[in-house]
């Protein structure tokens, strides 16, 4: 469900940006007449795309495990760009229209940056003398818990339930290293760290 929403959102955002770039270019370099013609022709498509964009965005916001300040700033930029675009295109004010587009691209950039953010969380301090299981727990809390939850079954951001996971150790390793869908790859973790995390997540299955 979450992954499907994420793909729909990405697609809607992409189409929305393309439409707005074209409209802004026509506003800047075309005639007033060609802008009204284009707007009339794309009116329904624009309504569908922007509704999808907003509806999937709201769903993702409430089902995501990691709302960071970047996500909130991204939403603020998108919300600020809407009135600018409406006024800009209505009054044919190219400064407002370009500003609105810049805000949208800024929001897009923030979303891309935010994706990688979770893998860059600082590593928990390794306490000398702590067991592999404890190390695994600390790493899990730092990198995995936001989505998978304290007991592995929170399912935020579309995360799979680790309690019922039937994956082998090497399949899990691949998941952690490379990631999949909404799960980022943790190429920053060493073999020992991944081993420790898997040792810890194995304890979920027995509960
Ligand atoms: C941003 C959210 C997020 C974070 C952080 C995250 N995961 Fe995931 N995880 C997911 C999602 C989403 C899936 C399902 C991906 C898919 O199959 O499309 C998943 C799937 C998995 C699976 C596969 C389970 C199965 O049975 O298929 C494993 C194992 C896993 N995660 C372990 C981890 C570990 C270990 C960490 C920390 C190092 C971690 N995840 C961090 C979101 C996350």
């Amino acid at each position: 469900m979450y992954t499907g929403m994420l793909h729909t959102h990405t697609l809607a955002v992409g189409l929305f940006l393309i439409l707005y770039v074209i409209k802004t270019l026509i506003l800047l370099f075309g005639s007033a007449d060609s802008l009204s013609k284009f707007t009339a022709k794309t009116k329904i498509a624009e309504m569908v795309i922007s509704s999808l964009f907003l509806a999937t965005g709201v769903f993702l916001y409430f089902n995501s495990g990691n709302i960071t300040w970047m996500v909130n700033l991204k939403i603020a930029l998108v919300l600020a760009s809407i009135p600018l675009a409406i006024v800009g295109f209505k009054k044919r004010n190219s400064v407002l229209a370009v500003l609105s587009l810049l805000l949208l691209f800024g929001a897009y950039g923030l979303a891309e940056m935010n994706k990688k953010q979770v893998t860059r969380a600082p590593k928990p301090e390794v306490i000398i003398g702590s067991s592999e299981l404890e190390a695994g727990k600390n790493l899990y809390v730092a990198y995995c818990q936001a989505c998978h939850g304290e007991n592995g079954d929170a399912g935020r951001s579309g995360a799979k339930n680790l309690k019922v996971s039937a994956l082998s150790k090497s399949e899990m390793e691949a998941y952690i290293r490379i990631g999949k869908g909404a799960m980022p790859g943790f190429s920053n973790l060493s073999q020992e760290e991944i081993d420790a995390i898997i040792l810890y997540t194995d304890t979920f299955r027995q509960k």
Side-chain angles (χ1 to χ4, degrees):
M1 178 76 166
Y2 186 92
T3 314
M5 286 283 184
L6 188 64
H7 289 321
T8 314
H9 188 68
T10 311
L11 182 70
V13 169
L15 292 173
F16 190 82
L17 282 176
I18 292 171
L19 201 62
Y20 263 78
V21 169
I22 297 174
K23 274 176 79 167
T24 310
L25 288 177
I26 298 178
L27 180 68
L28 290 177
F29 304 111
S31 63
D33 190 39
S34 49
L35 182 62
S36 2
K37 271 195 191 141
F38 183 81
T39 307
K41 270 197 193 136
T42 54
K43 195 167 191 156
I44 297 195
E46 189 183 327
M47 265 163 59
V48 173
I49 293 169
S50 48
S51 313
L52 267 181
F53 174 1
L54 292 178
T56 51
V58 169
F59 174 90
L60 294 174
Y61 187 82
F62 287 108
N63 289 280
S64 167
N66 34 310
I67 300 297
T68 60
W69 64 268
M70 274 195 219
V71 175
N72 287 321
L73 182 59
K74 172 185 104 170
I75 292 168
L77 290 184
V78 172
L79 292 181
S81 78
I82 295 172
L84 288 180
I86 292 174
V87 177
F89 284 109
K90 199 165 231 164
K91 299 234 185 294
R92 302 197 190 290
N93 183 324
S94 40
V95 176
L96 288 186
V98 170
L99 196 62
S100 159
L101 198 61
L102 287 179
L103 288 182
L104 278 179
F105 272 104
Y108 184 76
L110 275 174
E112 287 301 307
M113 264 165 70
N114 187 59
K115 266 191 211 162
K116 280 271 131 207
Q117 202 59 17
V118 63
T119 64
R120 296 210 194 98
K123 285 211 176 142
E125 261 178 65
V126 180
I127 304 147
I128 297 175
S130 72
S131 70
E132 189 183 2
L133 195 62
E134 279 172 67
K137 180 176 180 174
N138 290 338
L139 289 162
Y140 178 86
V141 171
Y143 294 112
C144 323
Q145 190 161 298
C147 298
H148 288 280
E150 206 179 331
N151 302 309
D153 58 358
R156 289 189 285 262
S157 296
K160 294 236 170 102
N161 185 347
L162 299 179
K163 274 188 180 172
V164 298
S165 175
L167 297 184
S168 70
K169 182 165 183 290
S170 61
E171 285 168 329
M172 280 207 167
E173 253 184 68
Y175 245 99
I176 298 169
R177 266 188 217 293
I178 301 160
K180 190 175 171 196
M183 175 164 157
F186 292 84
S187 51
N188 55 327
L189 295 176
S190 70
Q191 185 62 49
E192 288 76 32
E193 288 167 332
I194 292 181
D195 287 345
I197 294 176
I198 294 177
L199 191 72
Y200 180 68
T201 58
D202 271 346
T203 63
F204 297 148
R205 302 194 201 194
Q206 295 140 22
K207 276 180 202 162

